[in-house]
Amino acid sequence: MAELDAFRAETRAWLEANCPPSMRTPMPDDEIVWGGRRARFKNPDSKLWLERMAARGWTVPTWPKRYGGGGLAPEEARILEEEMRRLNCRSPLQSFGIWMLGPVLLEYGSEAQKAAHLPAIARGEIRWCQGYSEPEAGSDLAGLRTRAVPQGEHFLVNGHKIWTSYADLADWIFCLVRTDPLAKKHEGISFLLIDMDDPGIRTRPIRLISGASPFCETFIENVRVPLDNLVGGLNNGWTIAKKLLEHERKMIASIGERQRGAERSLAQLAKTYCGARDGKVADAVLRDQIARHEIDQRAFRLTQRRAAEEAKGGAPGPASAMFKYYGTELNKRKFELLLQCLGTQALGWEGDGFAAEEKRITREWLRSKANSIEGGTSEIQLNVIAKRVLGLPD
Amino acid sequence: MAELDAFRAETRAWLEANCPPSMRTPMPDDEIVWGGRRARFKNPDSKLWLERMAARGWTVPTWPKRYGGGGLAPEEARILEEEMRRLNCRSPLQSFGIWMLGPVLLEYGSEAQKAAHLPAIARGEIRWCQGYSEPEAGSDLAGLRTRAVPQGEHFLVNGHKIWTSYADLADWIFCLVRTDPLAKKHEGISFLLIDMDDPGIRTRPIRLISGASPFCETFIENVRVPLDNLVGGLNNGWTIAKKLLEHERKMIASIGERQRGAERSLAQLAKTYCGARDGKVADAVLRDQIARHEIDQRAFRLTQRRAAEEAKGGAPGPASAMFKYYGTELNKRKFELLLQCLGTQALGWEGDGFAAEEKRITREWLRSKANSIEGGTSEIQLNVIAKRVLGLPD
Amino acid sequence: MALVLDSETALIRDTALDFFEKRAPVSALRKLRDDKDALGFSLPLWRQMAELGWAGFLVPEAYGGADYGCLGLGQVMEAAGRTLAASPLLATALIGASALALAGSEQQKAAHLPALARGERLLALALEEGAHHAPFAIAATARPSGGGFRLDGEKRFVLDGHVADLLIVAARTSGAPGERRGITLFLVPGDARGLTRTRTLMVDSRNAARLSLDGVELGADAVLGPVDGGADALDPVLDRARAGLAAEMLGGAAAAFERTVQYLKDRKQFGVPIGSFQALKHRAAAMFCEIELARSAVLAALSALDAKSSDTGALASLAKAKAGDAFFLISNEGVQMHGGIGMTDEHEIGFFLKRARAAEAAFGDGAFHRDRYASLMGY
Amino acid sequence: MALVLDSETALIRDTALDFFEKRAPVSALRKLRDDKDALGFSLPLWRQMAELGWAGFLVPEAYGGADYGCLGLGQVMEAAGRTLAASPLLATALIGASALALAGSEQQKAAHLPALARGERLLALALEEGAHHAPFAIAATARPSGGGFRLDGEKRFVLDGHVADLLIVAARTSGAPGERRGITLFLVPGDARGLTRTRTLMVDSRNAARLSLDGVELGADAVLGPVDGGADALDPVLDRARAGLAAEMLGGAAAAFERTVQYLKDRKQFGVPIGSFQALKHRAAAMFCEIELARSAVLAALSALDAKSSDTGALASLAKAKAGDAFFLISNEGVQMHGGIGMTDEHEIGFFLKRARAAEAAFGDGAFHRDRYASLMGY
């Protein structure tokens, strides 16, 4: 206990001394630092902050120090998190490398792979994207067709990935590829790392119903990938894929939680757009629906907290399917309620006549519809709960 | 047209002359006439009314005259119905013989079977019950195990039926039995008529969560049934069963429609139990829920009417699954709303402290839960719609 | 009240189905959007629709119309709804024609209805001032001025407002916002002095505009219907709008449903069509029921309007509420069941989702109509 | 706020689970019902529960209790809920003990709490007068009489009211029905003159009674808590009742869910377990989520009560609302998924359906708590 108290004091002091004041303000979307070869820093403090944190290994606090991490124990990492929140410190670096590839390499990667990739992720030098889904392999992810054929020291890779977020901005892609077309479909898949700086790789952004999006299609044509870039052994990719999907679910589950400083609550918007009486939302029916939603949302957050307390920071299990399912459905409900509050003011697309907040809500309402599709549909999550949590038969 | 007008005038005159005044009042449950060998008439007028109507064949207006029917065309039958409604005439006779067995015998029965059974149904002399479900064959009706083994001039029947309504009051039972245990399950079933006046047949009433019920278990032990009692040919019972199920669905679909004179509407009860303001249900949330329900109910009734207009009185098709599904779910919702309105006054079981109306609502609320189970569960109806209406693949 | 179409009306429906499928598929709306078309619909197509008589379906024969009635126009709107076709059907053929035919003076009818029926005059109703349908919440004022009136105020969500030749503007001649009494309707030329019109770009790629009335001077003959009695004059017009829009929404819901069921049959995952999964089947079956109920409600409302039945108001609310429920459910389930591809702008199912919300907000959402239904039913 | 049980509380939970499973299974409730048991619960069993310390879990140690707190008692109530066990846990151990411990004078506590903790004194709260939970809608009157008060009025839905040794009666000393101010609590002996108690037979086979107070004369020392301030005194008591009842409902929901999942695995139709049908799987998975959320809400509320947290009221409403939603959903789905057998009185799943509704109505239903939650959150 005393050691942890000392760590807290030390951490607090360091953060107060080293976190630039502009990094203690709410982060606009366009100042999020994703790193990568082509990284640009709109705010120079962001770069400074990244470098300082990376130097301590605190962009990835629990990773071993030898791979650029902070080497912190889980309790220490939680203290770091609490102290950062206390000071409103921005996250110095976000990336799929940190959230998804890193944990996989730590568990399945060779020593050479760890040494080659982890420090670059920790310092934000390389930006990764994820190549999982394909047009014909959505919910049936294991039905993927991208082929990797061993030829001497290389695989020759051909295929078509979809929903690769930020593929157009990424440097490398971690991919599921089919290495044995004759094996049962879950058994012929491998996990491969591919440098995207290859003329055989082409990306095309996907426009969503909500407008521009970070999603891309990624076309891979006759790309040669060193055999060394195989992670976890040949035809062993599905094990890794399942692990990663659980991490992804957990990430998406809290999609409605991002609180921006300027965002007004449902109840505040209802009062504005539908009127208030005696300090209450005037429309009793709407008020009841808002309360129902807020109750569900609070119970959901309490459940996330309870799960964290029960797991003590362990890896997400099949119950993560519940969080993915419920969290995304809640978020969709929230936006439907917002639209109901805003009425015709939520029907603008662009141009005059609608406030920025109104147009943001309209776009996010549409974007929220993907929540229950991306990272495994709600239907897939319910299947997982039924099978792996409840033990219902196939 | 003129002929129909004449028919209407004649019918009206006859009804006015022959329908006893007490038969023009709302019918209490215990005065419903079901007929049968053990029929008792609480109100002697009921017997008179049955005899007069049966003499004209108007207990079964559209059946051929030679089988005790009225021989009416569909338009004439509709006129009779309208004129009876105009005078508030009670239905002279209800029975599963009229609703279910009769139509089957008319379509599939031999001449001898028709002559033997239809007139007795029309006159209310024999009361029938339906032996379909078995403990292990609920939704999977075709999984039934009651065996009928041909032995000389008889079948030897053994089995256990369940949910046989009014079996304890019936004279005969029409049954699905397995006659070929080796055939595919839909192909080894026959439709058999069995006289229940046999010591091998025993019935046991089933108590429901709502209290006493008309349902029974029926045990059939070594009962000998003449081969002549087979309807529609050996191993051809499933075709008949499907037809009957459609009739049954249609019957149950309108389960919430029985309007008793004394029943108060949801809105009236809400005003009584939750208060009114400016003539409106005071609780705006409850009022919205009631309106939502009433809107659905009205749209549902309009759809029943539309289907009738489209079919011009034809036999019910797969769309009857929609009416069974939606009608029963609506009825359950109605009772949940009623319970919400009545609050703790809907929580009585028997004895003092609760009005008769309150206790009736409590019991019917519980009884309504069976609506979406009996006559094919909601799940089965949705399967039928998906497959036979929408053509979705197995 | 007819719940089954007579053969003549069925023929109109078939003609309309064919017309919109061929000449105004969803891709036409996409093109209007991507081209940032100034009108927001195709004027040549509108002329063709007028030639088929649809523009004048609610215009008395004396003024060059077909006087065919709401059930007929409803069939056309349902067909238009199936392809999300943008056109002046709602603002001009349904609302504009109804307002003039039901409340107009001889002179007003003669002046506008024949041109309207020929597809040569576009109308728009300028009613709403807030974010929610509220026909009595009128704050725009009409003050006596000279022998006529002077109009001031702001209007929102005016469908086709930016291109209408003639606007029907609700303004207050007495009373306070929220009061039924004191509202008057005015016919305002699209090019009136003091009138500013701003087109708003909507999520469903349809038309709407904001109007600013800044001392618009009108003669006494600009009054449509009784002074102070505009709400009474509007009632039947709004009920027609609700029922007609419900028909359009029913069309959208039905088309989105058919597309989704087809996708369930076509799309294979795990080696089988996804429509073989029972959970999706049950949801599809439930949607089917909602479509059927909505269809009955729409037919009942349209028939009641033509029959001038006493419960027209309740049935119009019933239709709008049920069609809204069905369109909401099905457009959402449609996107979900299409999965990732349904989220792309490239696919058309998302257009239905957007239209469902915009149509829901017009002329009263579900909550508005449940409230109204309850009031009309006495509770 | 603990969302995970400490080891001591987990032990209490395990003891309680074992106790109710062995000594008060659902069949015990059935027997009480079929025997038309006069008490409605087993007094010997209650003595055993008292010996385990549960009757005195909310009684301070100075008065012979264990003072273990709400989280502990909640575990016992959840376990009792799993088998639908009828007992004085709610009326006496939770509500009665809380009212005396939080609002009682030294003398009142000394007079009743030790006997209560020993399981030798039964209490009941006589609050409701209408069909819905309404803590301020008190019309029963308490008028000054001699040096004390004279009580007149009617009370309904008094849990354990027909057997309680001591009743806590809310009556109005000033103000009008609906007003928060002016309510006073009184301790009324079960055998007081002028008090008539009528047991009502309830759908869930539990206890409740109607009281008629006809000139019941009480001394000044019968007042519990401040005169006219009874509502303030009741607030924390009611929040405990809501959270504790929510725990019981959570237990009922969880048990009904487990029974249903087991049935889905066991029952075969079409040659396969019905739990292999995807539509049922998805519904079961959705129920699982509701149980998990309800559990978190209940734990949060119980912990907040013990911590005297400032948002205890909101969390109690949250817990009651969520546990109610879960129990309603699951008891209904439970019957439906059990099919015909679930509709028979012989099967036990129907007992859960009945209990769910009765518990929902006690101390505020979902609508009540959503309204309260919104008010507490400032909207």
Side-chain angles (χ1 to χ4, degrees):
Chain A
M1 273 297 119
E3 273 173 44
L4 288 182
D5 289 346
F7 176 78
R8 185 184 295 276
E10 191 186 318
T11 301
R12 185 176 301 182
W14 187 87
L15 289 172
E16 278 171 357
N18 288 281
C19 184
S22 77
M23 292 294 104
R24 304 184 193 188
T25 61
M27 179 150 60
D29 274 353
D30 61 354
E31 293 195 17
I32 295 174
V33 175
W34 288 91
R37 291 172 186 148
R38 287 166 285 169
R40 274 178 303 179
F41 296 89
K42 195 182 165 200
N43 178 342
D45 281 350
S46 302
K47 188 157 184 287
L48 186 66
W49 178 227
L50 169 60
E51 285 164 358
R52 285 179 181 167
M53 286 289 275
R56 278 181 94 82
W58 283 3
T59 55
V60 284
T62 59
W63 291 11
K65 285 191 172 180
R66 65 184 178 286
Y67 303 131
L72 300 189
E75 308 79 50
E76 292 173 324
R78 192 152 56 234
I79 287 170
L80 171 58
E81 210 177 294
E82 284 164 12
E83 292 302 318
M84 285 180 70
R85 198 157 42 223
R86 211 183 61 87
L87 273 187
N88 289 320
C89 302
R90 293 183 184 178
S91 164
L93 178 63
Q94 300 193 13
S95 84
F96 297 121
I98 294 175
W99 300 323
M100 307 192 73
L101 180 62
V104 160
L105 285 183
L106 283 168
E107 188 170 355
Y108 297 97
S110 67
E111 195 47 46
Q113 286 166 341
K114 291 182 202 175
H117 298 296
L118 293 177
I121 291 171
R123 290 192 299 267
E125 292 165 2
I126 294 294
R127 181 166 181 178
W128 288 83
C129 66
Q130 179 195 41
Y132 269 39
S133 298
E134 299 181 5
E136 298 300 317
S139 285
D140 182 13
L141 181 58
L144 59 93
R145 297 179 188 175
T146 293
R147 286 279 282 125
V149 182
Q151 292 187 338
E153 286 304 292
H154 293 86
F155 290 103
L156 186 69
V157 185
N158 275 286
H160 178 185
K161 292 287 176 185
I162 196 168
W163 308 118
T164 36
S165 310
Y166 299 112
D168 50 342
L169 300 172
D171 308 310
W172 281 66
I173 184 169
F174 51 94
C175 259
L176 291 177
V177 294
R178 185 159 303 283
T179 36
D180 183 350
L182 301 176
K184 276 194 249 166
K185 70 179 181 180
H186 293 89
E187 294 168 10
I189 293 171
S190 299
F191 190 86
L192 204 57
L193 312 179
I194 307 179
D195 189 336
M196 295 175 80
D197 188 10
D198 185 306
I201 295 189
R202 203 162 44 83
T203 62
R204 190 170 78 91
I206 297 172
R207 193 176 168 77
L208 292 185
I209 58 174
S210 49
S213 88
F215 294 114
C216 295
E217 289 185 273
T218 301
F219 303 89
I220 308 176
E221 214 174 335
N222 291 325
V223 172
R224 289 156 62 92
V225 178
L227 293 184
D228 287 347
N229 287 10
L230 178 73
V231 178
L234 197 67
N235 297 327
N236 199 25
W238 189 246
T239 312
I240 300 178
K242 279 191 297 185
K243 269 277 163 63
L244 268 186
L245 286 175
E246 287 178 358
H247 283 286
E248 193 181 10
R249 271 182 217 147
K250 204 179 162 186
M251 228 168 67
I252 298 176
S254 47
I255 205 146
E257 301 295 308
R258 287 174 304 153
Q259 279 292 351
R260 290 177 218 184
E263 256 181 51
R264 290 194 284 170
S265 74
L266 249 172
Q268 287 168 324
L269 288 164
K271 286 183 188 174
T272 304
Y273 285 88
C274 306
R277 197 177 301 135
D278 304 332
K280 295 179 183 179
V281 173
D283 180 335
V285 179
L286 180 62
R287 179 170 173 266
D288 179 73
Q289 289 169 317
I290 292 173
R292 190 184 282 279
H293 175 77
E294 302 269 315
I295 282 173
D296 284 346
Q297 184 136 55
R298 187 155 175 192
F300 179 70
R301 282 185 201 146
L302 285 165
T303 306
Q304 286 181 308
R305 224 183 86 193
R306 181 163 66 86
E309 285 182 22
E310 283 170 356
K312 298 264 179 221
S320 67
M322 169 175 78
F323 294 111
K324 164 67 169 79
Y325 162 70
Y326 211 98
T328 57
E329 296 293 337
L330 265 181
N331 198 45
K332 290 199 297 181
R333 266 170 59 195
K334 183 181 86 179
F335 278 103
E336 290 299 343
L337 277 172
L338 281 169
L339 257 77
Q340 204 176 314
C341 292
L342 267 61
T344 54
Q345 287 308 108
L347 299 177
W349 184 248
E350 54 189 22
D352 295 339
F354 302 95
E357 182 186 37
E358 293 166 348
K359 282 184 284 193
R360 176 185 65 72
I361 288 171
T362 309
R363 299 294 185 114
E364 289 192 10
W365 160 65
L366 289 164
R367 178 64 183 80
S368 75
K369 301 300 177 189
N371 298 160
S372 51
I373 297 169
E374 59 200 323
T377 62
S378 280
E379 289 77 10
I380 291 288
Q381 308 310 322
L382 292 171
N383 285 347
V384 170
I385 296 170
K387 179 171 180 173
R388 295 180 61 198
V389 181
L390 304 180
L392 290 172
D394 275 329
Chain B
M1 273 296 120
E3 273 174 42
L4 286 181
D5 289 346
F7 177 79
R8 186 184 293 277
E10 190 187 318
T11 300
R12 186 177 298 184
W14 187 87
L15 289 172
E16 279 171 355
N18 288 282
C19 184
S22 78
M23 291 295 104
R24 304 185 192 187
T25 62
M27 178 149 61
D29 274 351
D30 61 354
E31 292 195 18
I32 295 173
V33 175
W34 288 91
R37 291 171 187 150
R38 287 166 287 168
R40 274 177 304 179
F41 296 89
K42 197 183 166 200
N43 178 343
D45 281 350
S46 301
K47 188 158 186 289
L48 186 68
W49 178 226
L50 169 60
E51 284 165 359
R52 286 179 179 165
M53 285 290 275
R56 279 182 93 84
W58 282 4
T59 55
V60 284
T62 59
W63 290 11
K65 286 192 171 178
R66 65 184 179 285
Y67 304 131
L72 300 190
E75 308 79 51
E76 292 171 325
R78 194 154 54 234
I79 287 170
L80 171 59
E81 211 177 293
E82 285 165 10
E83 291 302 318
M84 285 180 69
R85 199 158 40 223
R86 212 183 57 87
L87 273 187
N88 290 319
C89 300
R90 293 184 185 178
S91 163
L93 177 64
Q94 301 193 13
S95 84
F96 297 121
I98 295 176
W99 299 324
M100 306 192 73
L101 180 62
V104 161
L105 286 183
L106 283 168
E107 188 169 355
Y108 298 97
S110 67
E111 195 47 46
Q113 287 166 340
K114 291 183 201 175
H117 298 295
L118 293 177
I121 291 171
R123 290 192 300 267
E125 292 165 359
I126 293 295
R127 181 166 181 178
W128 287 84
C129 66
Q130 181 195 40
Y132 267 39
S133 297
E134 300 182 6
E136 298 301 316
S139 285
D140 182 15
L141 181 58
L144 59 93
R145 298 179 188 175
T146 294
R147 286 278 283 124
V149 183
Q151 293 188 337
E153 286 305 291
H154 292 86
F155 289 104
L156 186 69
V157 185
N158 276 285
H160 178 186
K161 292 287 176 184
I162 196 169
W163 307 119
T164 38
S165 309
Y166 299 113
D168 50 341
L169 300 171
D171 307 310
W172 280 66
I173 184 169
F174 52 94
C175 261
L176 291 176
V177 293
R178 185 158 304 281
T179 36
D180 183 351
L182 301 176
K184 276 194 251 170
K185 70 179 181 179
H186 293 89
E187 292 168 9
I189 293 171
S190 298
F191 189 86
L192 203 58
L193 311 179
I194 307 180
D195 190 338
M196 296 174 82
D197 188 12
D198 184 305
I201 293 189
R202 203 161 45 80
T203 62
R204 189 169 79 91
I206 296 172
R207 194 176 167 75
L208 292 185
I209 58 174
S210 48
S213 88
F215 295 115
C216 295
E217 287 184 274
T218 301
F219 302 90
I220 308 176
E221 212 176 335
N222 290 323
V223 173
R224 288 156 61 93
V225 178
L227 292 186
D228 287 349
N229 288 11
L230 178 74
V231 178
L234 196 66
N235 298 329
N236 199 24
W238 190 245
T239 312
I240 300 178
K242 278 192 296 186
K243 270 276 163 65
L244 269 186
L245 286 175
E246 286 178 359
H247 283 285
E248 193 182 9
R249 270 182 220 148
K250 204 178 162 186
M251 230 167 65
I252 299 176
S254 46
I255 204 146
E257 300 296 304
R258 287 173 305 154
Q259 279 291 352
R260 293 177 215 184
E263 256 181 49
R264 290 193 285 172
S265 74
L266 249 172
Q268 288 168 322
L269 287 164
K271 286 183 189 174
T272 303
Y273 285 89
C274 306
R277 196 177 302 138
D278 306 331
K280 295 179 181 177
V281 173
D283 179 335
V285 179
L286 180 62
R287 179 170 173 265
D288 179 72
Q289 289 169 318
I290 293 172
R292 189 184 282 278
H293 175 76
E294 304 269 317
I295 282 173
D296 285 345
Q297 185 135 55
R298 187 155 176 192
F300 178 69
R301 282 185 199 145
L302 285 165
T303 306
Q304 287 181 308
R305 226 184 84 195
R306 182 163 65 86
E309 284 182 23
E310 283 170 357
K312 299 265 179 219
S320 66
M322 170 176 75
F323 295 112
K324 164 64 169 82
Y325 162 70
Y326 211 97
T328 58
E329 296 294 338
L330 265 182
N331 197 46
K332 290 199 297 181
R333 265 172 58 195
K334 183 180 85 179
F335 278 104
E336 289 300 344
L337 278 172
L338 280 169
L339 257 77
Q340 205 176 315
C341 292
L342 267 60
T344 54
Q345 287 308 109
L347 299 178
W349 184 247
E350 54 189 22
D352 293 338
F354 301 95
E357 182 186 37
E358 292 166 349
K359 283 184 284 195
R360 175 185 66 71
I361 287 172
T362 309
R363 299 294 186 113
E364 290 193 8
W365 159 65
L366 288 165
R367 178 63 182 80
S368 75
K369 301 299 176 190
N371 298 160
S372 51
I373 296 170
E374 58 201 324
T377 63
S378 281
E379 289 77 12
I380 291 289
Q381 309 310 322
L382 292 170
N383 284 347
V384 170
I385 296 169
K387 180 173 180 170
R388 295 180 61 196
V389 181
L390 304 180
L392 290 172
D394 276 330
Chain C
M1 182 169 60
L3 294 172
V4 178
L5 298 184
D6 60 279
S7 59
E8 194 181 349
T9 310
L11 192 64
I12 288 166
R13 182 198 57 199
D14 294 344
T15 305
L17 285 172
D18 187 61
F19 180 90
F20 289 105
E21 200 178 304
K22 293 212 176 101
R23 307 198 201 173
V26 178
S27 57
L29 178 66
R30 178 194 295 279
K31 191 164 184 324
L32 290 165
R33 179 194 75 174
D34 292 348
D35 292 352
K36 299 192 187 299
D37 185 274
L39 278 181
F41 58 88
S42 159
L43 210 46
L45 203 76
W46 178 237
R47 292 278 154 75
Q48 293 174 28
M49 291 164 72
E51 275 163 32
L52 285 162
W54 300 340
F57 254 21
L58 300 186
V59 173
E61 290 178 9
Y63 301 103
D67 202 9
Y68 196 82
C70 294
L71 186 62
L73 187 56
Q75 302 316 302
V76 177
M77 293 192 69
E78 185 186 331
R82 289 182 59 89
T83 67
L84 304 175
S87 83
L89 271 174
L90 180 62
T92 294
L94 182 59
I95 299 172
S98 294
L100 284 168
L102 298 176
S105 66
E106 271 315 312
Q107 205 180 4
Q108 288 167 335
K109 290 194 248 192
H112 302 296
L113 284 175
L116 186 159
R118 287 194 304 272
E120 291 165 5
R121 190 150 304 165
L122 298 175
L123 272 78
L125 173 66
L127 174 67
E128 312 294 356
E129 301 182 11
H132 298 271
H133 179 56
F136 314 136
I138 305 296
T141 55
R143 294 194 184 82
S145 169
F149 294 86
R150 174 198 157 96
L151 268 57
D152 291 277
E154 306 285 331
K155 294 286 175 183
R156 299 190 203 178
F157 201 47
V158 182
L159 307 179
D160 290 354
H162 68 306
V163 288
D165 304 301
L166 190 65
L167 294 148
I168 300 166
V169 177
R172 194 160 280 288
T173 35
S174 70
E179 288 177 20
R180 187 182 168 86
R181 189 78 200 152
I183 297 166
T184 305
L185 302 180
F186 294 90
L187 293 176
V188 180
D191 56 1
R193 276 188 64 166
L195 170 66
T196 315
R197 310 195 278 182
T198 317
R199 183 182 183 190
T200 44
L201 295 172
M202 308 298 284
V203 71
D204 63 343
S205 310
R206 296 281 188 101
N207 275 329
R210 300 198 155 214
L211 305 191
S212 181
L213 299 137
D214 185 11
V216 175
E217 296 281 352
L218 299 170
D221 57 352
V223 172
L224 179 70
V227 169
D228 284 347
D232 295 339
L234 261 185
D235 262 350
V237 176
L238 289 176
D239 277 335
R240 286 184 174 191
R242 288 157 184 156
L245 186 52
E248 194 216 293
M249 293 167 86
L250 169 65
F257 181 60
E258 288 162 25
R259 285 163 182 247
T260 301
V261 169
Q262 193 56 50
Y263 188 76
L264 291 178
K265 293 177 185 173
D266 294 342
R267 169 75 170 173
K268 286 203 173 69
Q269 291 281 275
F270 306 103
V272 296
I274 60 173
S276 66
F277 292 116
Q278 197 197 33
L280 299 185
K281 278 186 187 176
H282 280 195
R283 282 154 57 186
M287 287 189 257
F288 168 78
C289 298
E290 291 301 328
I291 294 265
E292 288 297 307
L293 265 68
R295 180 172 302 284
S296 311
V298 165
L299 286 167
L302 294 169
S303 301
L305 284 164
D306 287 337
K308 296 179 178 48
S309 151
S310 62
D311 60 353
T312 300
L315 285 168
S317 282
L318 181 81
K320 183 68 166 58
K322 280 308 289 176
D325 286 352
F327 204 7
F328 175 83
L329 172 73
I330 288 164
S331 59
N332 273 280
E333 284 281 58
V335 168
Q336 177 69 21
M337 289 185 178
H338 275 82
I341 195 73
M343 277 301 298
T344 63
D345 183 67
E346 206 174 324
H347 198 280
E348 290 179 350
I349 193 75
F351 283 73
F352 289 88
L353 182 77
K354 293 171 176 177
R355 179 60 191 151
R357 257 298 171 184
E360 172 75 5
F363 304 109
D365 62 8
F368 176 94
H369 286 293
R370 284 192 295 278
D371 174 67
R372 182 165 182 256
Y373 189 84
S375 296
L376 290 169
M377 291 293 134
Y379 61 89
Chain D
M1 184 168 60
L3 294 173
V4 178
L5 298 184
D6 59 279
S7 59
E8 195 183 351
T9 311
L11 192 64
I12 289 167
R13 181 198 59 201
D14 294 343
T15 305
L17 286 172
D18 186 63
F19 180 91
F20 289 105
E21 200 178 305
K22 291 211 177 103
R23 307 196 200 173
V26 179
S27 56
L29 178 66
R30 178 194 294 278
K31 190 165 185 324
L32 290 165
R33 178 194 76 174
D34 292 347
D35 292 351
K36 297 191 188 298
D37 185 275
L39 279 180
F41 57 86
S42 158
L43 210 46
L45 202 75
W46 177 237
R47 292 277 155 78
Q48 291 173 28
M49 292 163 71
E51 275 164 33
L52 285 162
W54 300 341
F57 254 20
L58 300 186
V59 173
E61 290 179 8
Y63 301 103
D67 203 10
Y68 197 82
C70 293
L71 185 62
L73 187 56
Q75 301 317 302
V76 178
M77 293 191 69
E78 184 186 332
R82 289 183 59 90
T83 67
L84 305 175
S87 83
L89 271 175
L90 179 60
T92 295
L94 182 59
I95 299 171
S98 294
L100 284 169
L102 298 176
S105 65
E106 272 314 309
Q107 205 181 5
Q108 287 167 335
K109 289 195 248 191
H112 301 295
L113 284 175
L116 186 158
R118 287 194 306 272
E120 290 165 6
R121 189 149 306 161
L122 299 177
L123 272 79
L125 173 65
L127 175 67
E128 313 293 357
E129 300 182 9
H132 297 271
H133 179 56
F136 314 137
I138 305 296
T141 55
R143 293 194 185 83
S145 169
F149 294 87
R150 177 198 154 98
L151 267 59
D152 292 274
E154 308 282 334
K155 293 288 175 181
R156 300 189 202 177
F157 201 49
V158 182
L159 307 178
D160 291 354
H162 67 305
V163 289
D165 304 301
L166 189 66
L167 294 150
I168 299 165
V169 177
R172 194 161 280 289
T173 34
S174 69
E179 289 177 19
R180 187 181 167 87
R181 190 78 199 152
I183 297 166
T184 306
L185 303 180
F186 294 90
L187 294 176
V188 180
D191 57 2
R193 277 187 65 165
L195 170 66
T196 317
R197 310 194 276 183
T198 317
R199 184 182 181 189
T200 44
L201 294 171
M202 307 300 284
V203 72
D204 63 344
S205 310
R206 296 282 188 100
N207 276 326
R210 299 198 155 216
L211 306 190
S212 181
L213 298 136
D214 186 11
V216 174
E217 296 282 350
L218 299 169
D221 57 353
V223 172
L224 179 70
V227 170
D228 283 347
D232 295 337
L234 261 185
D235 261 351
V237 176
L238 289 177
D239 276 335
R240 287 185 175 191
R242 288 157 184 155
L245 186 52
E248 194 215 291
M249 294 168 85
L250 169 64
F257 180 60
E258 288 162 27
R259 285 163 183 248
T260 301
V261 169
Q262 193 57 51
Y263 189 76
L264 292 177
K265 293 177 185 175
D266 294 342
R267 169 76 170 173
K268 286 204 171 68
Q269 291 280 276
F270 306 102
V272 294
I274 59 174
S276 65
F277 293 117
Q278 197 197 35
L280 298 186
K281 277 185 189 177
H282 281 195
R283 282 154 58 185
M287 287 189 256
F288 168 77
C289 298
E290 291 302 327
I291 293 264
E292 289 298 306
L293 264 68
R295 181 173 300 284
S296 312
V298 165
L299 286 168
L302 294 170
S303 301
L305 283 164
D306 287 336
K308 297 180 178 46
S309 150
S310 63
D311 60 350
T312 301
L315 285 168
S317 282
L318 180 82
K320 183 69 166 59
K322 279 309 289 177
D325 286 352
F327 205 6
F328 176 84
L329 172 73
I330 289 164
S331 59
N332 273 279
E333 284 282 56
V335 168
Q336 177 69 21
M337 290 186 178
H338 275 80
I341 195 74
M343 278 301 297
T344 62
D345 182 67
E346 208 174 323
H347 198 281
E348 289 178 351
I349 194 75
F351 283 74
F352 290 88
L353 182 76
K354 294 171 176 177
R355 179 61 190 151
R357 256 299 173 184
E360 172 75 4
F363 304 110
D365 62 8
F368 177 93
H369 286 294
R370 284 191 296 277
D371 174 66
R372 183 165 180 257
Y373 188 84
S375 295
L376 290 170
M377 291 292 134
Y379 60 91

